[in-house]
Amino acid sequence: MTNTTSTSWIANDRDRAWSTPDQDDAALSFHRSLPGYEPTALIALPELASELGVAAVFAKDESTRLGLPAFKALGASWAVHRALEASNAGPDAEAVTATDGNHGRAVARFAREAGRSARIFVPAGGIHPSAVAAIRGEGAEVIELEANYDQTVAAAADYAASGRGVLVQDTAWDGYEEVPGWIVDGYSTLFREIDAQLGEVGHRSPDLICVPTGVGSLLQAALAYYRRAGQADSTAVVSVESDAAACMGPSLLASHPVTVETGQTIMSGLNCGTPSPLAWPLIRGGLDAAVSVSDSAAVDAAHRLADLGVAAGPCGAASLAGVREALIGADADARRRHLDIDAGSVIVLTVTEGTDANPLPEG
């Protein structure tokens, strides 16, 4: 059952006993084997803790992940490795994907490191020109389409299905679940690192983690990790979306995945109008609340993080905008009770990208 007090906040009254299967550490072991791997920084932000009325706030800064400016490197590296290994395609087959941001660059990077070419489909005008240039900088062929994100995904899938490439897409649909599952498994490294890093400074798992959300793959990874048997009720998980593409809240209200018409947003990596069907069972069963935020709120949050030494792009800063909406916005007392947040709580902001991945607008 869900309840709501506004369109920007949808609470999910989940079954507190619901849990996910335990996970192995294959993806983490793979990442540790990669040249240049190290855990990204978990940065204490006491000023934000004071502002939010909690014991501690940390930013998990993904702006330097495996030499790329976003968390997408974790899922793409593991999925490219697994997909090329499992594929019967010839050695000249391309790695193919659609992207609205950092996933495409990451696929291109790890395809190149595996000795493969890459073909990346993007919605024309849907991502920052610097992001398109960065994808080309990895040696990939970029195909710009006059289409929205979902249509661009379909075009990439059609191209790969013609036998010319291996699809490495982070969106799942009926009959295409294995590769998106590997991408989610790759993202689990991020949350394993968080708990290990919190343990080093005397904290347990976070009481609340905010996850910027597009189709929901990173959110799925968070829920798979924090809803494990024995841990299922220790961490509140909140999704944060752009209000131009907020599909998680409507889906919770409808009790099934809902597609919404997307608009324009500077949070290009969140501009996705349909939840991943692979993620949906975990979202329905394990998410505590869905929050949506405006571009202006994301920009304001990015500037606040910059003041504190964290260079976050709009999508990464959405985590702070979301926690502000949840904890100091309208009906904050009721929302805090729903999330079980008090003065002793520890919050982690998943800062999914740096400004190199998606620059802030000037001015």
Side-chain angles (χ1 to χ4, degrees):
M1 182 178 71
T2 59
N3 59 64
T4 179
T5 55
S6 77
T7 56
S8 62
W9 160 272
I10 307 295
N12 187 35
D13 290 327
R14 62 182 177 85
D15 179 357
R16 300 284 170 168
W18 182 88
S19 64
T20 59
D22 212 351
Q23 302 175 309
D24 64 34
D25 60 359
L28 177 62
S29 296
F30 170 77
H31 290 138
R32 286 173 170 168
S33 75
L34 294 175
Y37 167 77
E38 61 181 356
T40 52
L42 187 70
I43 302 168
L45 300 173
E47 298 91 344
L48 286 184
S50 178
E51 291 173 19
L52 296 170
V54 296
V57 174
F58 295 89
K60 180 62 168 169
D61 182 1
E62 291 293 298
S63 64
T64 57
R65 176 61 77 179
L66 290 168
L68 291 172
F71 78 101
K72 295 284 189 177
L74 289 172
S77 59
W78 180 236
V80 167
H81 169 74
R82 293 295 304 272
L84 293 178
E85 185 179 64
S87 173
N88 293 321
D92 295 331
E94 301 170 305
V96 177
T97 197
T99 188
D100 55 7
N102 300 308
H103 173 69
R105 182 180 178 185
V107 168
R109 164 71 63 87
F110 293 104
R112 176 168 59 81
E113 293 189 356
R116 300 295 188 107
S117 58
R119 183 173 295 260
I120 312 299
F121 290 74
V122 303
I127 66 176
H128 196 279
S130 66
V132 175
I135 295 170
R136 290 195 170 104
E138 301 293 346
E141 182 77 17
V142 176
I143 309 300
E144 296 189 69
L145 301 178
E146 293 294 336
N148 64 25
Y149 174 78
D150 290 341
Q151 293 165 338
T152 305
V153 169
D158 288 344
Y159 179 87
S162 71
R164 291 174 285 180
V166 177
L167 188 66
V168 186
Q169 192 62 56
D170 55 352
T171 302
W173 55 85
D174 286 345
Y176 187 76
E177 291 94 7
E178 189 171 44
V179 173
W182 289 332
I183 288 172
V184 171
D185 291 344
Y187 295 156
S188 69
T189 291
L190 188 158
F191 302 104
R192 290 172 179 266
E193 288 178 359
I194 287 172
D195 277 12
Q197 291 167 312
L198 286 177
E200 292 171 1
V201 294
H203 295 291
R204 52 185 173 80
S205 294
D207 298 293
L208 169 63
I209 188 163
C210 290
V211 183
T213 300
V215 298
S217 296
L218 182 63
L219 182 62
Q220 179 184 349
L223 293 167
Y225 182 76
Y226 287 112
R227 297 292 174 258
R228 306 180 324 278
Q231 303 289 323
D233 201 29
S234 62
T235 298
V237 180
V238 171
S239 67
V240 185
E241 298 176 278
S242 164
D243 60 10
C247 58
M248 296 301 163
S251 296
L252 289 173
L253 289 173
S255 297
H256 61 79
V258 169
T259 296
V260 300
E261 184 176 352
T262 60
Q264 294 295 315
T265 174
I266 60 170
M267 293 173 275
S268 57
L270 310 186
N271 198 15
C272 309
T274 305
S276 163
L278 198 65
W280 172 247
L282 285 83
I283 294 166
R284 180 187 58 209
L287 188 65
D288 290 279
V291 173
S292 62
V293 299
S294 66
D295 279 4
S296 61
V299 170
D300 184 67
H303 288 310
R304 181 65 178 126
L305 287 169
D307 291 342
L308 299 174
V310 180
C315 295
S319 55
L320 174 56
V323 82
R324 283 171 161 175
E325 176 66 32
L327 300 187
I328 59 177
D331 299 318
D333 289 345
R335 296 177 183 189
R336 284 174 180 262
R337 286 194 298 272
H338 176 77
L339 299 173
D340 197 21
I341 297 300
D342 58 26
S345 296
V346 174
I347 296 173
V348 170
L349 309 175
T350 312
V351 180
T352 51
E353 64 172 12
T355 52
D356 288 347
N358 188 8
L360 291 170
E362 294 183 5

